[in-house]
Amino acid sequence: MRRRISSVWLFLFVTTVLFGLWTFLSPYTGDDLRYHCMFANYDIDSSRLVKSMKDVIASNIVHFKYVNGRILAHLMIQTFTGITGKLPFNILNPLFFTAYILLICQLGLRHISWRGLLWTVGLVLFLMPNFHMEYLWMCGAVNYLWSSVFILLFLLLLRNTEEKNTKDYRWWKITLLLLFAFITGGLHEGITVPLCVGLVINELYIWHKKKSFDRHLLRPWLILAFIIGALICMGSTIQRAHNQYESFMGSLQERWDCGIYIWSKLHLIYLMIIILLIAVWRKKVGFKAFVKENIVYLITIACSMGIAFYTGLNYVRISYAAELFSLILIIQLADCFKLSRRIKNRVTVLFLTIIIAFYAVVLYYTCINYRQHVALTKQLESGKQIVTFQYADSPSLVNEHICRTIGMGKDDELWYLDPDVELCKVYATIYGLDYMLFIPETLYEMLNNHPDGFEEFTDCGNLPFYTKRIDKDMNIKELRYRLREAKPEEIPFYYRPFTRFCDRYKKNKYAIIPTTLLYNDQLYLFAPKLSKDLDDRLTEITIVKEEEKSN
């Protein structure tokens, strides 16, 4: 017993150290930079930096009113960006990650072992979508990883107080527990609102079964406080959606396409279904008993999956809650299979080898990215207004495990080629410059060595856009991409049953707002590359001028 406990603590310590190194090497990016500035209405005021706790509080009052209701998360983020710097986050984030893994195992396993912790780390590392956005990127980690830790603690609290009576606690303990539940409910509406639905349905079932409601039980009051916090958080977000976006949810077709896209990027929920079917088939669990015992998790997963079809947004992290609670159920189901010590040892050694090898590869490219970040920072500190950087190319296998200084998405580099873009203004404000723009070194050399080139759209190697030189007087409204219809073999097998309902693989066209750059008295137009499956079907890019838009 003592040996098992020591091995668990050793594993948690090693995990904390390794993830701490990973966190340290992940620089600010995206919203991390925006949160250096004060919020004004729906967006930031890029000319005003956060410099004190008074600024943090004032900015977050505006943020709550116009952006979303995640008060605690954004208070912490702007405290880090505006006052303390990234060091406290670098220290706390690995601790939260280790607590996250431990809590998932506590909710899913009967007995915690270092093997269970290892398999949980592996599932998170390999199968959780958008790993870098939810665990490494500061804004994402505080909103998802840190919020998840408090929510998992709340679920553990509900489990431990299931039959507890309010008379068993002193009034100040009850007050603290209710306050904790209220604050936790307001951490992230994308996780807590689906969970509220599951908790409410489960409580109604319990009351119906007992034919009575015991007002002295602590659990219902904790759930009520949690629901109130979640509703306040959700109310702010819905208000923002209706105020800021007239067509926030898009058309039914757009919502369907986004929902199918998000579903295609999830992994853990499908693995959970497969393991459940095997467990039922092998009579390791009873299906009815499993559903009854885990009704809260299952309803939460269903609601989170449904949100994917509601928002009209194609962010995979919208259904993060579905993956989180599927992971808990996977751990629970895997614990039902009794494997021999020999098989356990072989599987553990194989899994551990794969994790170490993958971590080594990711760490290698993370170090390259960090060196590029340091070189970029030196240029910024020297007062350069045109900053060059190396495009951090890496294998697609590790792309979702690296936080890049310049952009997190495939075409984010385009944001930095225009000094009027918000993030360039933020950089200029932080470093006290009049303006600033960022040019990839490959493009910088091409523009200087071949200023009269780019007569047609030119592929700039590994850069995520095409480049074309245009007349300086040309006023462009948009670019139109024409795509041929996909061949059957080009459609992923999991998409094929849905192709008649979505437009992604049909012959169609996309309208895209372009980016332009005036450099050395030449005007260059940049057309972002699409995802690989769409880019392979691209047949034509048409420039639509301002006066042609209405035609």
Side-chain angles (χ1 to χ4, degrees):
M1 181 68 178
R2 185 176 299 175
R3 183 179 177 183
R4 186 172 69 183
I5 293 174
S6 62
S7 64
V8 166
W9 282 108
L10 177 61
F11 181 86
L12 293 175
F13 174 75
V14 172
T15 300
T16 303
V17 171
L18 294 179
F19 195 79
L21 177 61
W22 202 350
T23 300
F24 174 79
L25 294 173
S26 300
Y28 283 139
T29 187
D31 283 353
D32 298 341
L33 297 162
R34 297 175 69 246
Y35 277 76
H36 279 75
C37 298
M38 299 280 290
F39 271 86
N41 295 331
Y42 301 111
D43 220 327
I44 61 168
D45 181 350
S46 58
S47 64
R48 297 173 59 202
L49 294 176
V50 173
K51 296 181 179 179
S52 66
M53 278 307 301
K54 182 179 178 182
D55 290 343
V56 171
I57 293 170
S59 179
N60 277 273
I61 290 172
V62 176
H63 186 279
F64 176 79
K65 184 177 179 181
Y66 291 103
V67 183
N68 65 49
R70 304 171 204 165
I71 301 173
L72 184 59
H74 294 102
L75 274 171
M76 288 189 289
I77 292 169
Q78 289 208 296
T79 300
F80 295 148
T81 58
I83 300 175
T84 66
K86 193 169 177 280
L87 180 60
F89 172 78
N90 289 342
I91 295 171
L92 292 172
N93 197 51
L95 297 175
F96 271 96
F97 182 77
T98 303
Y100 176 78
I101 298 299
L102 182 60
L103 287 167
I104 287 173
C105 288
Q106 282 187 308
L107 289 168
L109 295 174
R110 285 168 290 184
H111 303 288
I112 294 177
S113 66
W114 74 272
R115 284 190 178 87
L117 293 168
L118 173 68
W119 296 342
T120 305
V121 169
L123 290 170
V124 171
L125 189 64
F126 295 124
L127 296 182
M128 187 66 80
N130 293 335
F131 182 91
H132 63 320
M133 289 189 177
E134 294 157 1
Y135 302 99
L136 296 170
W137 173 39
M138 189 173 73
C139 280
V142 174
N143 274 284
Y144 288 89
L145 172 60
W146 294 25
S147 296
S148 296
V149 168
F150 287 106
I151 292 166
L152 294 174
L153 277 173
F154 173 74
L155 290 173
L156 206 58
L157 174 65
L158 289 184
R159 176 195 283 183
N160 294 335
T161 58
E162 190 166 355
E163 298 297 331
K164 295 288 185 178
N165 198 298
T166 53
K167 296 177 182 179
D168 299 331
Y169 296 89
R170 304 185 72 172
W171 68 268
W172 60 270
K173 285 187 178 181
I174 295 175
T175 303
L176 288 177
L177 290 173
L178 291 174
L179 182 61
F180 171 74
F182 172 75
I183 292 173
T184 303
L187 287 176
H188 195 301
E189 73 288 347
I191 309 172
T192 58
V193 171
L195 182 56
C196 283
V197 178
L199 289 171
V200 168
I201 292 176
N202 185 57
E203 287 302 303
L204 290 175
Y205 172 75
I206 292 173
W207 296 345
H208 174 73
K209 189 176 179 181
K210 291 183 176 180
K211 306 295 184 182
S212 65
F213 169 65
D214 186 352
R215 62 186 178 87
H216 295 294
L217 283 176
L218 179 60
R219 177 186 168 96
W221 298 110
L222 291 174
I223 292 174
L224 179 61
F226 183 83
I227 292 171
I228 293 172
L231 290 176
I232 292 174
C233 183
M234 183 183 70
S236 173
T237 304
I238 291 176
Q239 184 64 34
R240 178 277 307 261
H242 286 289
N243 286 344
Q244 190 173 4
Y245 305 110
E246 292 182 4
S247 58
F248 173 70
M249 294 187 297
S251 66
L252 287 174
Q253 183 64 56
E254 290 171 337
R255 280 187 275 170
W256 175 262
D257 288 347
C258 288
I260 293 296
Y261 172 79
I262 292 172
W263 279 29
S264 72
K265 297 297 181 181
L266 302 179
H267 308 115
L268 291 169
I269 184 171
Y270 306 123
L271 179 61
M272 183 271 290
I273 293 172
I274 291 171
I275 295 176
L276 173 59
L277 293 175
I278 294 173
V280 172
W281 173 56
R282 296 291 300 273
K283 297 183 180 180
K284 300 295 181 181
V285 297
F287 182 76
K288 289 184 178 180
F290 176 81
V291 171
K292 184 179 178 181
E293 182 181 348
N294 298 288
I295 189 68
V296 173
Y297 296 156
L298 294 171
I299 292 175
T300 302
I301 292 168
C303 291
S304 181
M305 296 283 282
I307 291 174
F309 289 91
Y310 173 77
T311 62
L313 301 173
N314 62 355
Y315 304 141
V316 179
R317 60 183 182 270
I318 285 173
S319 291
Y320 166 81
E323 294 287 84
L324 171 60
F325 291 105
S326 294
L327 175 59
I328 295 173
L329 294 180
I330 288 171
I331 299 300
Q332 183 187 128
L333 287 166
D335 201 32
C336 297
F337 291 87
K338 303 298 181 183
L339 303 177
S340 66
R341 181 179 294 273
R342 184 180 178 185
I343 294 176
K344 280 185 179 180
N345 289 339
R346 288 184 176 181
V347 172
T348 300
V349 169
L350 177 63
F351 212 41
L352 183 60
T353 303
I354 294 172
I355 290 175
I356 292 173
F358 183 77
Y359 179 83
V361 173
V362 171
L363 191 64
Y364 171 76
Y365 285 102
T366 299
C367 289
I368 292 176
N369 179 70
Y370 185 75
R371 286 199 297 269
Q372 293 171 350
H373 162 72
V374 171
L376 184 144
T377 302
K378 288 181 179 178
Q379 294 183 67
L380 293 169
E381 291 174 346
S382 69
K384 287 185 65 175
Q385 293 178 305
I386 298 179
V387 175
T388 59
F389 67 94
Q390 291 182 351
Y391 178 65
D393 198 12
S394 59
S396 58
L397 182 65
V398 302
N399 276 341
E400 288 197 353
H401 295 77
I402 300 174
C403 282
R404 307 188 186 283
T405 305
I406 301 295
M408 293 182 66
K410 187 173 184 294
D411 60 350
D412 286 0
E413 287 77 5
L414 289 174
W415 297 356
Y416 298 83
L417 287 168
D418 184 351
D420 291 328
V421 166
E422 183 180 73
L423 286 171
C424 286
K425 290 181 178 180
V426 171
Y427 267 117
T429 301
I430 292 173
Y431 290 95
L433 302 172
D434 295 331
Y435 75 92
M436 180 168 287
L437 60 90
F438 298 81
I439 302 179
E441 287 183 2
T442 305
L443 178 63
Y444 184 75
E445 293 173 1
M446 295 175 73
L447 294 179
N448 286 308
N449 297 334
H450 307 284
D452 296 327
F454 304 102
E455 294 182 358
E456 300 296 333
F457 280 109
T458 304
D459 188 345
C460 300
N462 65 344
L463 298 181
F465 48 78
Y466 304 100
T467 307
K468 178 180 173 65
R469 180 167 50 85
I470 59 175
D471 189 86
K472 287 192 295 184
D473 298 326
M474 185 181 295
N475 191 7
I476 300 174
K477 184 65 178 180
E478 65 183 26
L479 297 175
R480 288 181 182 167
Y481 291 47
R482 295 188 181 276
L483 277 68
R484 61 172 173 78
E485 186 171 354
K487 300 175 183 177
E489 61 271 18
E490 294 175 325
I491 305 174
F493 70 92
Y494 49 80
Y495 251 118
R496 291 171 190 171
F498 307 104
T499 50
R500 68 170 66 182
F501 304 111
C502 56
D503 294 332
R504 183 177 181 85
Y505 293 100
K506 297 176 182 176
K507 183 178 180 180
N508 54 23
K509 60 184 179 181
Y510 289 85
I512 294 178
I513 305 299
T515 299
T516 57
L517 169 66
L518 184 62
Y519 183 78
N520 287 344
D521 205 35
Q522 300 278 6
L523 185 64
Y524 297 93
L525 172 68
F526 301 100
K529 293 179 181 177
L530 304 174
S531 58
K532 189 178 185 309
D533 63 318
L534 296 179
D535 218 36
D536 291 341
R537 294 162 47 208
L538 181 62
T539 59
E540 182 184 11
I541 301 177
T542 305
I543 299 174
V544 180
K545 300 178 184 178
E546 187 74 41
E547 60 272 15
E548 296 176 354
K549 183 62 167 41
S550 59
N551 295 335

